[in-house]
Amino acid sequence: MEGGNTTLEPWAQVQKKTFERWVNSHLEKRQLAIVDLFDDFRDGVQLCFLMEVLTHESVGRVNKFPKHYQQKIENLILALRKITNDGVKLVNIGPEDIETGNGKLTLGLLWSIILKYQISAFIDKNSGKSPLQWLLEWLRNKLQPKDMRPNNLTKDWNDGKMLPALVDAVAPGLFPDWNTLPDDPVTNIKQAMVLAKDWLGVNMLISPEDMANPNVDDKSMMTYLSQFVNAAAAQGAPLGQNKALNAGNVRVYGPALEEDVLVNTETRFFIDATNAGKGLVSLAFGGPAQPKVDIRNKPGQPQEVVITAPKAGDYDVVIHFEGKEIPHSPVRIHVVPEAPDSTKVRVTGLGPRCEVGPINSFFIDGSNAGGSGFLEIGILGPTLPSNQIFIEHKGDQKFDCKFVVVERGTFLINVKWHGDHVPGSPFEVIGTPKK
């Protein structure tokens, strides 16, 4: 595991994903994010920004756009110096190791940072215990009233029973059904994680699938579970309200789910939880863009969700009722482009004449014309049509068009948008010899 592209052992794959989520949970405060832990720290820029977020101090002058090796090394030196100045002991980790994307050492560096700036902040330094021992003892004390005793931070958490119990132990009544859950570890862990995120402020740094995986490692689990030490229920948390609730009785229906929806057009669907009990509905949208959402509540009536999507594509809506995903979630909204209107297409660059032999060009702007950009161009000459027509889509329904004519005379250039002529089409152009 010497480089970022080397195949990682299963436990290291889980650790890498967990550390990436941890880094992004802090970088998002600057509207930043990494994609790959090993690659994205190589130039030192994101690592410097991470240290500034964690310490609330400048690391010095950061070269934000390093192009050369030495500039990357200088950035990494700034970040590592800040870490060591804060009392973190780095063993056999230098800027060159991070710049080359050394996976093993990058994971080691991140673990040192997490220990310092998250886990150590919770630990009683006078206890004489290691961070792992201290956290395990805290968890045992917290879970003792539930008659549960974790002996480790790995396999004991795979069955999906320990985390729901912990959520209810930290905030009594938040997950009162923790001891009557079905034998479905991933679903149980997911429900507990959603409740912990929504009401305890515990970030989902590890996926439910990874926690249920026997290959999960204790460092990943410590990173996630240590967030519970200082967690407390937020105001309005539904404590003790989940017992008689049934997410399976929630119905979702409406035109947004039953028919195609035009882009930038308001549509709606309804969430009927009247037979599910008095509980909280939460929504999460995924799709090609962030839609405009207006949720309207009226006492005793289904919840109305009004949505306007700015881009065409499929939008998936994940729906939870009191932390439990309802049946048939996610639901899908299929958004299609606006109906085409050829009268809104603009053609520029076509004069009354064109040259015989060289390439002639003009521009078509269909950005306001709707449709999917189905463009047709045909050129009829005095005796022969032009078969040398080149169209390049420049994005946003805009096109560069080039053509060649090989004879003198009058040419008719037909431009159609979704089968209809655009304004001015057919265009009459006279082919003349090049001067």
Side-chain angles (χ1 to χ4, degrees), residues 240-262:
Q241 297 177 14
N242 294 7
K243 194 69 176 179
L245 304 183
N246 188 350
N249 289 338
V250 178
R251 291 196 312 121
V252 184
Y253 61 93
L257 311 178
E258 300 162 2
E259 57 192 35
D260 290 346
V261 178
L262 285 178

Side-chain angles (χ1 to χ4, degrees), residues 5-18:
N5 296 323
T6 305
T7 301
L8 297 175
E9 297 178 46
W11 67 266
Q13 294 177 20
V14 174
Q15 191 175 109
K16 180 172 180 281
K17 289 186 292 182
T18 302

Side-chain angles (χ1 to χ4, degrees), residues 45-106:
V45 177
Q46 300 283 40
L47 185 57
C48 284
F49 290 156
L50 174 65
M51 294 312 304
E52 289 184 342
V53 171
L54 294 174
T55 64
H56 307 288
E57 297 175 355
S58 171
V59 301
R61 186 174 181 179
V62 180
N63 189 324
K64 297 180 181 179
F65 304 100
K67 296 181 179 179
H68 307 296
Y69 174 81
Q70 189 56 39
Q71 293 173 327
K72 298 176 183 179
I73 292 296
E74 290 171 355
N75 282 346
L76 289 165
I77 289 174
L78 286 176
L80 296 181
R81 181 183 298 149
K82 183 61 181 173
I83 296 169
T84 55
N85 286 347
D86 263 12
V88 179
K89 185 177 181 181
L90 301 179
V91 180
N92 297 326
I93 301 176
E96 297 83 1
D97 301 313
I98 308 304
E99 196 281 331
T100 58
N102 186 306
K104 179 179 180 180
L105 294 182
T106 302

Side-chain angles (χ1 to χ4, degrees), residues 4 55 62 119 121 147 162 183 185 211 229 255 268 277 287 299 319 323 334 339 367 388 394 399:
T55 64
V62 180
I119 296 175
D147 291 325
M162 199 75 72
D183 186 16
M211 184 177 285
V229 175
R268 68 202 66 237
I319 305 173
H334 183 58
S367 58
Q388 298 188 61
K394 307 299 288 186
F399 305 84

Side-chain angles (χ1 to χ4, degrees), residues 166-167 170-171 174 195-202 227-228 231-234:
L166 177 62
V167 169
V170 171
L174 186 58
L195 285 170
K197 181 178 185 299
D198 290 347
W199 299 110
L200 301 179
V202 174
Q227 299 177 98
F228 283 90

Side-chain angles (χ1 to χ4, degrees), residues 107-141:
L107 289 175
L109 173 64
L110 257 295
W111 177 239
S112 296
I113 293 173
I114 292 169
L115 270 178
K116 170 66 178 179
Y117 297 102
Q118 176 170 305
I119 296 175
S120 295
F122 303 142
I123 291 176
D124 180 1
K125 297 178 177 60
N126 297 320
S127 68
K129 295 180 173 62
S130 70
L132 175 59
Q133 292 170 333
W134 189 93
L135 182 59
L136 190 56
E137 182 175 324
W138 182 87
L139 290 166
R140 288 170 178 168
N141 290 335

